[in-house]
Amino acid sequence: MKWRKNDIQQYVQSKEYIDTILLPLIPIQLSSDDDAEKHASQSEVMNILANEIEKELTGRIMLAPNYHYLKSADKQLESKRLNGWAEDMKKQPFSHIVYITFDSSWKKHEKDISDNLLWMPAVQVGEINSKEMHGIIREQVGQTVELIRSYWQSN
Amino acid sequence: MSNEKQQVSRRQFLNYTLTGVGGFMAAGLLISPIRMAVDPVLKESSAGDLANVGLSVDDITSEPQRIDWSVDQVDGWYESEVNRSAWVYRNEDDEIVAFSPVCKHLGCVVSWEGSENHPNEYFCPCHDGRYYKDGTNVPGTPPLAPLDEYEQEVRDGMLFLGDARPREEA
Ligand code: FES
């Protein structure tokens, strides 16, 4: 399920089956040319990745809107905001919230976040539509799906 | 001979032209849906056509295999390449069958033998939905209908697949 009208309508009717939120954490920063390009490209990859995962598990996962933040922002503050999002979402019967990100700086704040943080190393992107890139993304999708299934099983 | 033309004032001229443009646009609005329906060149997408999925029929066995291919699709505002997948195998009557992997419960992607506990079946990871090899849903699991089946054709020994269609209730 995605954050769009039709999906939410369906969600409201089948809540008992959709118990997991997938929430991409995506840093932005426009002030430096090089970094901006890197962030934009990683954000593109993250969107593809998140959409593919959603497609595999659409009947049990709600893909939340991306959480964007300044790369240089204070992560402790951001964690607080994020927990606010999570708190609101949990007013629905979601039993798993999974944050997915390429930004390793979240690792240091894992304890500040009340839910599962799924960090994966950013791939160096050449051409996003290349065969090679497709392979890499498919691989990451497969691994992430397995991981999410393991969260389900441990419940 | 240019008398009539000179009688057209500036305002009238503007009026005529604007009405003309408006009328033309309105006609466009009226015509386009009809043309979309009739004119094959303007048809929505190639999604309804059969696509070569890159699988030789000689390679299709009684063991279901997953194949992926992509088609161009116009979806509302966006034209995009969409990926499609199928599980393809040969049934007991030696007929080629291609199932859509989309679970009939809430749409997750099913896999052949996706669970060790349920060999010889399709398995849906979301709510343990199951289907027999012939695509029929296993009673007592969440899905209430058999897997959709792709339209298909064999051309020059290659498999072509079209749209997935719901099957008759088994
Ligand atoms: S989506 Fe397949 S069992 Fe629910």
Side-chain angles (χ1 to χ4, degrees):
Chain A
M1 311 272 146
K2 287 185 179 161
W3 184 241
R4 36 178 200 209
K5 185 180 164 203
N6 289 353
D7 287 12
I8 298 297
Q9 279 172 347
Q10 203 187 355
Y11 167 72
V12 170
Q13 277 161 26
S14 346
K15 276 185 199 185
E16 68 270 36
Y17 292 107
I18 301 141
D19 66 353
T20 304
I21 291 256
L22 183 66
L23 209 173
L25 308 180
I26 302 182
I28 55 173
Q29 194 98 9
L30 201 47
S31 46
S32 127
D33 293 357
D34 288 350
D35 285 351
E37 186 183 323
K38 189 184 87 192
H39 290 315
S41 119
Q42 287 184 1
S43 144
E44 277 185 77
V45 179
M46 180 50 81
N47 278 315
I48 296 174
L49 191 64
N51 274 309
E52 288 301 308
I53 297 167
E54 189 275 337
K55 211 159 107 192
E56 291 278 320
L57 303 174
T58 188
R60 189 161 174 183
I61 277 194
M62 168 74 67
L63 177 59
N66 295 331
Y67 184 86
H68 288 113
Y69 53 94
L70 273 185
K71 177 69 179 130
S72 58
D74 174 4
K75 282 280 158 19
Q76 214 148 1
L77 273 176
E78 295 295 339
S79 311
K80 268 211 192 96
R81 278 194 69 210
L82 206 49
N83 287 335
W85 282 37
E87 219 171 280
D88 176 78
M89 288 163 179
K90 282 180 186 156
K91 298 210 167 116
Q92 296 286 356
F94 285 113
S95 36
H96 307 272
I97 296 189
V98 180
Y99 303 108
I100 179 170
T101 188
F102 288 138
D103 181 356
S104 59
S105 62
W106 285 105
K107 290 293 279 176
K108 278 175 250 133
H109 293 270
E110 224 172 332
K111 56 173 190 332
D112 300 329
I113 301 172
S114 49
D115 298 277
N116 301 306
L117 177 73
L118 217 161
W119 170 78
M120 39 183 66
V123 271
Q124 274 314 315
V125 202
E127 184 45 51
I128 215 162
N129 287 317
S130 68
K131 252 233 149 84
E132 189 197 357
M133 201 55 212
H134 271 232
I136 296 174
I137 291 178
R138 276 249 65 89
E139 180 94 343
Q140 284 195 326
V141 170
Q143 286 169 2
T144 318
V145 165
E146 280 316 303
L147 214 68
I148 293 174
R149 285 179 65 181
S150 75
Y151 292 154
W152 290 343
Q153 262 138 36
S154 63
N155 220 31
Chain B
M1 79 191 193
S2 59
N3 259 358
E4 276 175 14
K5 256 187 202 163
Q6 278 160 1
Q7 277 161 8
V8 178
S9 74
R10 195 183 157 80
R11 175 170 296 171
Q12 275 170 323
F13 174 76
L14 272 175
N15 243 332
Y16 289 148
T17 23
L18 286 180
T19 321
V21 172
F24 176 72
M25 277 163 56
L29 287 176
L30 285 178
I31 286 169
S32 51
I34 303 165
R35 277 183 75 188
M36 292 289 252
V38 199
D39 193 337
V41 183
L42 294 174
K43 232 175 55 190
E44 280 221 322
S45 70
S46 59
D49 303 335
L50 299 181
N52 185 343
V53 299
L55 181 69
S56 154
V57 287
D58 298 336
D59 295 333
I60 302 175
T61 65
S62 61
E63 182 73 7
Q65 56 179 306
R66 181 176 162 149
I67 48 162
D68 300 277
W69 73 102
S70 57
V71 293
D72 282 333
Q73 188 173 293
V74 180
D75 183 11
W77 298 98
Y78 307 103
E79 175 165 7
S80 57
E81 202 171 75
V82 294
N83 298 318
R84 290 188 167 183
S85 316
W87 287 98
V88 181
Y89 80 113
R90 233 174 241 283
N91 67 14
E92 292 106 71
D93 303 327
D94 211 31
E95 294 158 346
I96 296 168
V97 186
F99 289 127
S100 155
V102 175
C103 182
K104 296 297 278 184
H105 177 221
L106 289 173
C108 295
V109 176
V110 305
S111 299
W112 175 247
E113 306 208 309
S115 160
E116 286 151 28
N117 302 332
H118 303 287
N120 230 26
E121 287 178 3
Y122 293 94
F123 181 77
C124 176
C126 284
H127 317 101
D128 299 356
R130 284 151 53 202
Y131 303 83
Y132 298 118
K133 191 175 185 179
D134 69 357
T136 313
N137 48 304
V138 175
T141 69
L144 297 175
L147 292 171
D148 289 353
E149 208 180 316
Y150 280 104
E151 298 176 301
Q152 53 152 306
E153 212 175 282
V154 174
R155 293 182 206 156
D156 301 324
M158 296 299 284
L159 180 65
F160 282 67
L161 296 181
D163 287 333
R165 297 267 152 80
R167 279 199 316 164
E168 303 297 312
E169 211 66 37

